[in-house]
Every structure is written in structure tokens, then in C-alpha cells.
Amino acid sequence: MSHKKAQKLLRYLLLIPPLLFALAPVYWMLTISLKSEVDQFATPPPWFGFTPTLNHFYDAFVTRSFGDYLLNSAIVAVASTACALVIGTLAAYALARFQLPWRLNRHLSLWILSTRMFPAIVTVVPLFLMMRDLRLLNTRASLIIVYTAFNLPFVVWMMRGFFVELPRDLEEAALVDGDSRLGALFRVVLPLVAPGLAATAVFCLIVSWNEFLFALVLTQTDAAMTLPVGIAGRVTQFEIKWGVMSAAATVAIVPILVFALALQKYLVRGLSMGAVKG
Amino acid sequence: MAIEFRNVSKDFGGTRVVDDLSLEIDDGEFVVLLGPSGCGKTTTLRMLAGLETVSSGDILIGGERVNDVPTQHRDLAMVFQSYALYPHMTIAENIGYPLRVRKLDKAERIVRVNRVAAMLEIESLLDRKPRQLSGGERQRVALARAIVREPRAYLMDEPLSNLDARLRMQMRGELKRLQHQLGTTTIYVTHDQAEAMTLASRVAVMKKGRLQQFDTPMNIYNQPANRFVAEFVGSPSMNFIEESHVTIGIRPEHIHVLTEPQDGAIPATVYVTELMGNETFVFLSVGEDRLIARAPADFRAEVESRVWITMDRDKLHFFNADDADEIRI
């Protein structure tokens, strides 16, 4: 075996343990969603040699309301991500480019970041009371508002970094060329930070899609319940519906996976943006 | 369009970077702001463009006070040192950008982009992206983007400083022709005195935020207002001989080096000679002083050899040792 080949082999060997570690739960979920109850509890478990069944999927999405939860999750995640990106990007641009008095650029940035420093559980009760008074309990709107607020600091800090990295000359050239600030932002600045914007969007989507605590407290009916809460709700006093839960969880993974794969190119560039001057 | 700075100052934090600048620039003039880095020339240009606010004083374009007019409404075109081409757009889109934001229709845009591209000989690059271009090509694109419309003035911030020496000289000539052709007021910032001398109809020499002299290149060279201007303009630099209350200045071409003694000639020692091809720079020691003289290309002298020099007495400059201002006789 040549030296190069050996090196390559070693590289793959080194990749196996972390992959096993990361993918084992996914394998477990996937197989349970496809196994009949008998196979689920067999010892030793049938690793691959079992008769797959789609009954749990049918049970989850046709008999039960997991279809609604999926839709709720999708609407809440997309809407809150969109809101956070619009508001956060504009705020980040202002913080990165405008000289505010009293060193507000720095103070505001840190203050925005500090809202992410306390544990989420701290805000759950006040948020519940506020949403109750606004009559927004059990609505998607409540989750969209909360997730937008939750994602904003992240968006502001990510995007601010990308804006700061961008040479000022480009916007100044756009202004001298006769464009407005906002025009320059949309025609020159945003296209150049698109990879960063995409990476930020993916993170926001994942956070909103996976969020459990607020969704659990703020939604109790099918009208607004999201997938994570719906799945956890199948752990009842009398039984645990492993099959249904795994089937729903498997479906829950798919949109994020597809989205991340589609944006993979941007994701890598976005995350390493500013790391290397190019 | 005529441009005027009236007692303009700019403070950054506690530092005054432009101090009480007054300049009147006539319509169609090519004015060069010249000075070492940190002299406030770029800040002056940026204030004119509206990219920096004015701390005090007024800026007028065509008689209209523009202090509070935002950049995009000042109708100026600027060439940046970095060229500032939009990396995500093709060259045609880059050049057409000022027209696009003015909502010109597409057909008209294409006609005008093609016209300037032809003028600057960059038609073949129109479909490329800026990163695929060489420095010289990018420079042309930046120029094209500036002249694609008819702005009230062109502002140029060291536009040639990123080019190699040969290209810089070529572009210098082209810039001059272009400005002559277009007849638009141009304000050009540089630290390169050769660029200033060759391009400008008038040169504004600045130092530490203050205007030192504003005059034609010939007058700047022949009648420098003070020692700083005398030293900054001309290459090699003017020689200075310190006396008790006065500094005497003389340019290298006004010192003549002789290999034989002559009446009234001063003895000197050759420190080193540098053959430039068309002429020779002779570095001399005269007592404590070091002088540079220009001699013909065929001048030869050994290091440490004895020579004699004469000076054109009518070309001597005298500067007050206290404030460095020139003393006119």
C-alpha cells in the first residue's frame, strides 16, 4: 500500500468513531420508526433483519394530528426566522456602520447579547402571563414573536460581524454613484454577505424548529402545537408510543436536513467568512 | 462646476485633521491636493463627497452650499484608491450602476456603458467579474464608472497608487487627456509630487491639515511659499543650507559641478555619484553640509575626489529660520 493510500485510510478510520457517536441515536430512531412493536422490544435487537412497516407513520400522520404539528412547526420556524432576519439585519447594519453618540454602538451590542445570557426558563413565566393577557396563548403568533425575540441577538451579532468585515469603500462608492443607504444595502451589501445571511438563517431555523420549552408552555392545543411538543406528548401515564414518536421525529429531521444540504455551500463560506481575507 | 471650500475644518475626536481650509476651484480645473500621509487631503476630498461631515465652515458646489446635502444628491463621481468595484457584478453592471440607480432605461444604459467602455478600451471585459481583472484593468473600470454619467465633478483618491510604475505613468497621461476631453472639474488627491506636477492645473499643497500653497505647478516649483513646499516638490529634493537666521535653498539643477577650480567656485568632496542614464546625481560634502547636484550623464568623479561647485545665484531661495516661510527679495 502506498503512503498516500495509507494516509487516506487512516483519515477515514479516524472519522468512524465520531460518526458512530453522532449517528447511533439517529439509527435507533429510524429503525424503531420502521419496526413493529415486537421487534422494538426484542433482545438482542434485530439490527437490520426485521420486516419494516410504515404503520407508525400512518398512525402518526393520518390517525393522529402530527400533520398539523408539522405545519405549525414549519409556519412558526419560517415566519420567526424571516422576522428575525429582517429586523436583526437592519439593526446589525446600523450598529456596524453608523457612529452613534455616547458609545451606544458598543453598549447596545452588548445589551442585545446580554438578553441571551440568562436561562430561557427565566422568561417563561412572564412570557406566559403576557401572552395570556394578549390572548395569544395557543396561537402560532405567540411562538413566532417569542422565537423572533430569541433569535434576534444571534442574528444581530452574526450579521454585524459580516458587515464590519465588508470594506466601507463599496457602500461609499454606491452612495457617490447616487444610490440611497437602503439601496446600497440591498444592491451592494446584502448580495455580498449572502453566504453569511444563509448561514444565519439556517441556525435560526434549526433553533426555532427544535425549540421545546416555550412551545410547551405557550401552546396546549393542536391549533399551535409544534412537533417537539407533539412528540413529547406521546409519553403518557399509561404507555410510551415509541413507534409514533420515532416516526414523527424522523419526519421532523427531513426539512432541516434538506435545507442544510441545499445551503451547504453557503454555510461553510458563511461560517468561515472573515476568517480569511479573500 | 466651480467648487469652494470656505474656512473648512474637520475634527476627529480631539484631533484637528483639516484646519481652516479655503480653496476656490474654477469650473473645469484639474486641482491636485498634494501632501504626505496624514495631511488631511483625503479627508478634504471625503468631506466634499459628503462621506465625512464638516466640523465648521462651508463647502459650495456651483455656488450652492452642500454641507447638509447627502452624498447621493451631490452628483459627484469618485474613483477610490481601492477602486471599490462591486465584486458580485459584471464589469458592465459595475459601469452601469450609477445609471441604474438613476432609473435610466436599459437600452440607454447599454448604449452609454458601451460608449465609455470603448473610450477606455475595455469592451472585451464587460462580461467578466472584477476579480478576473488585472490592477490596470480594474483601474479603467473604476474610471469608466465615474465618467459614464456627467457629474458636477470627479473626485479621485490616489487612483494610480496601486499600479506598477510603468502603468502608472501611462494612466497618468491618459487621465490628463481624458480630463481635457471631458472638461469636467477634477479634484485629485495624491502624495506623489510627480503626479501633482504633471496632472494639475493648480496644486494645493497641504501639511498637517493646513493649506501651505495653492498655485500652478510652475509657481509651486519655482516660488515655493515655504520650506515644506520647497522640500516636498521636486525630485531629488531641494538642498538646504542652514545659516543663523535663514535657510538657503537651492535645487539640484542649479548647482554645477566642476572638476577644475574656477573663480568663485566652492571646493567640495564627492560623497557618491548615481548614474541615472540621462543624467548623474552627484552627492557632495561641503563642510558640514550635504548637497545633491544634477550633472550631465557623462560626468565622472571618484568617491572622495575633490571637485568645485558654482550655484546660480538668482535661483537661491531664502527661508526664515523661525517660521520657514520664504523670504522674497
Side-chain angles (χ1 to χ4, degrees):
Chain A
M1 199 157 42
S2 75
H3 181 67
K4 251 205 173 125
K5 260 190 180 160
Q7 220 175 24
K8 206 169 172 182
L9 188 73
L10 183 73
R11 214 175 294 163
Y12 282 112
L13 283 174
L14 284 174
L15 280 175
I16 288 172
L19 271 180
L20 271 180
F21 198 73
L23 291 178
V26 178
Y27 159 84
W28 205 249
M29 174 193 73
L30 199 63
T31 50
I32 286 186
S33 74
L34 293 170
K35 280 174 180 171
S36 61
E37 257 92 359
V38 178
D39 287 334
Q40 283 174 11
F41 297 104
T43 28
W47 296 107
F48 295 103
F50 57 87
T51 322
T53 166
L54 287 175
N55 278 344
H56 302 307
F57 287 88
Y58 185 85
D59 193 12
F61 289 94
V62 182
T63 318
R64 298 163 197 271
S65 344
F66 276 93
D68 295 341
Y69 306 158
L70 186 69
L71 187 68
N72 288 337
S73 273
I75 291 172
V76 168
V78 170
S80 66
T81 299
C83 289
L85 282 183
V86 171
I87 302 171
T89 302
L90 291 173
Y93 185 70
L95 286 175
R97 282 298 191 249
F98 301 142
Q99 191 72 47
L100 304 174
W102 308 301
R103 308 210 308 153
L104 270 182
N105 295 62
R106 193 181 139 80
H107 295 314
L108 279 178
S109 300
L110 284 176
W111 180 60
I112 289 170
L113 184 68
S114 72
T115 62
R116 279 296 288 267
M117 286 175 183
F118 43 75
I121 192 93
V122 172
T123 55
V124 161
V125 173
L127 275 173
F128 177 83
L129 296 175
M130 284 160 72
M131 291 300 169
R132 189 192 61 190
D133 294 346
L134 293 170
R135 304 194 182 289
L136 285 175
L137 286 181
N138 296 318
T139 62
R140 294 173 191 143
S142 67
L143 292 182
I144 293 172
I145 293 169
V146 170
Y147 294 173
T148 300
F150 197 68
N151 277 328
L152 259 179
F154 178 72
V155 175
V156 170
W157 272 77
M158 284 285 279
M159 295 312 296
R160 196 183 72 115
F162 296 135
F163 288 139
V164 166
E165 287 292 321
L166 211 64
R168 271 167 194 263
D169 278 6
L170 294 174
E171 289 150 80
E172 291 179 345
L175 289 179
V176 177
D177 281 346
D179 215 342
S180 62
R181 262 286 166 190
L182 219 53
L185 179 65
F186 281 106
R187 276 184 276 260
V188 174
V189 177
L190 284 183
L192 292 173
V193 298
L197 201 62
T200 310
V202 171
F203 280 115
C204 289
L205 264 182
I206 291 173
V207 168
S208 307
W209 187 260
N210 290 341
E211 206 286 327
F212 180 72
L213 182 64
F214 291 112
L216 179 70
V217 174
L218 297 176
T219 64
Q220 275 108 25
T221 66
D222 285 0
M225 192 178 279
T226 56
L227 269 180
V229 180
I231 293 169
R234 294 322 103 174
V235 181
T236 69
Q237 211 172 337
F238 309 104
E239 57 167 355
I240 300 175
K241 299 292 267 176
W242 293 114
V244 172
M245 287 166 72
S246 297
T250 305
V251 172
I253 283 183
V254 173
I256 294 294
L257 204 62
V258 169
F259 192 70
L261 282 178
L263 291 178
Q264 194 185 27
K265 181 177 81 174
Y266 291 110
L267 212 57
V268 176
R269 260 174 60 202
L271 289 177
S272 59
M273 239 166 104
V276 188
K277 291 260 180 197
Chain B
M1 205 71 79
I3 289 167
E4 190 184 343
F5 290 84
R6 259 188 215 159
N7 309 103
V8 171
S9 296
K10 174 70 184 176
D11 300 301
F12 277 126
T15 337
R16 176 147 286 208
V17 285
V18 175
D19 191 7
D20 196 26
L21 175 73
S22 291
L23 270 184
E24 277 183 59
I25 296 162
D26 299 330
D27 186 25
E29 249 195 307
F30 197 127
V31 166
V32 172
L33 304 181
L34 174 69
S37 59
C39 74
K41 55 192 193 299
T42 294
T43 307
T44 303
L45 195 75
R46 289 173 57 84
M47 283 194 287
L48 176 57
L51 298 170
E52 302 286 355
T53 54
V54 176
S55 299
S56 65
D58 292 320
I59 297 178
L60 292 87
I61 303 177
E64 174 209 358
R65 184 177 175 274
V66 296
N67 288 36
D68 306 314
V69 178
T71 301
Q72 60 266 35
H73 296 139
R74 292 197 186 186
D75 193 20
L76 304 165
M78 185 158 168
V79 179
F80 291 76
Q81 185 172 9
S82 65
Y83 312 141
L85 302 181
Y86 311 125
H88 58 299
M89 298 184 197
T90 64
I91 299 312
E93 286 166 345
N94 261 283
I95 300 173
Y97 186 83
L99 307 176
R100 186 175 135 207
V101 298
R102 283 181 174 68
K103 310 226 159 48
L104 249 74
D105 65 73
K106 199 160 185 193
E108 172 73 8
R109 251 154 56 195
I110 293 169
V111 170
R112 287 177 61 172
V113 167
N114 284 334
R115 198 192 307 152
V116 286
M119 213 161 132
L120 289 165
E121 295 166 20
I122 48 174
E123 298 113 305
S124 59
L125 307 174
L126 286 177
D127 294 327
R128 299 211 200 145
K129 290 278 179 72
R131 65 171 173 278
Q132 296 166 291
L133 268 52
S134 70
E137 289 167 339
R138 286 180 201 185
Q139 220 284 325
R140 279 165 189 275
V141 174
L143 267 179
R145 191 174 63 186
I147 64 177
V148 72
R149 62 198 172 92
E150 282 103 47
R152 298 200 282 186
Y154 299 124
L155 315 185
M156 304 195 182
D157 185 7
E158 311 237 4
L160 304 183
S161 62
N162 288 337
L163 302 179
D164 62 58
R166 203 177 59 85
L167 205 53
R168 190 156 59 220
M169 203 134 138
Q170 184 198 333
M171 281 308 295
R172 206 161 74 188
E174 289 192 32
L175 259 180
K176 194 166 188 177
R177 269 196 77 88
L178 203 62
Q179 202 267 343
H180 180 75
Q181 217 175 333
L182 299 164
T184 308
T185 313
T186 303
I187 310 197
Y188 185 107
V189 162
T190 186
H191 63 268
D192 181 340
Q193 56 92 24
E195 262 172 39
M197 297 302 276
T198 49
L199 285 170
S201 55
R202 281 195 290 171
V203 182
V205 185
M206 294 179 74
K207 177 197 174 190
K208 292 184 179 160
R210 287 185 152 271
L211 182 65
Q212 306 292 308
Q213 190 171 5
F214 182 41
D215 213 331
T216 61
M218 264 341 267
N219 286 347
I220 294 264
Y221 190 80
N222 291 326
Q223 294 157 33
N226 56 38
R227 181 174 167 164
F228 173 78
V229 176
E231 193 167 8
F232 198 76
V233 175
S235 173
S237 225
M238 186 185 275
N239 297 294
F240 295 100
I241 303 155
E242 313 283 348
E243 296 294 330
S244 50
H245 294 295
V246 71
T247 304
I248 302 165
I250 181 144
R251 295 209 177 270
E253 60 267 36
H254 300 134
I255 301 178
H256 308 283
V257 187
L258 312 165
T259 45
E260 302 291 327
Q262 184 186 306
D263 263 6
I266 307 159
T269 312
V270 174
Y271 183 74
V272 73
T273 60
E274 284 181 353
L275 178 63
M276 304 307 287
N278 60 338
E279 59 182 348
T280 305
F281 295 157
V282 188
F283 294 73
L284 302 155
S285 309
V286 183
E288 293 287 286
D289 294 306
R290 282 281 167 79
L291 300 178
I292 305 173
R294 290 188 141 153
D298 57 5
F299 179 87
R300 292 283 179 279
E302 290 298 312
V303 169
E304 291 297 324
S305 66
R306 167 118 311 201
V307 291
W308 289 264
I309 58 170
T310 59
M311 297 183 192
D312 297 337
R313 291 189 183 271
D314 55 330
K315 300 290 188 191
L316 294 177
H317 300 266
F318 298 94
F319 302 99
N320 196 323
D322 301 328
D323 57 12
D325 279 349
E326 181 169 39
I327 303 160
R328 292 273 153 75
I329 299 162

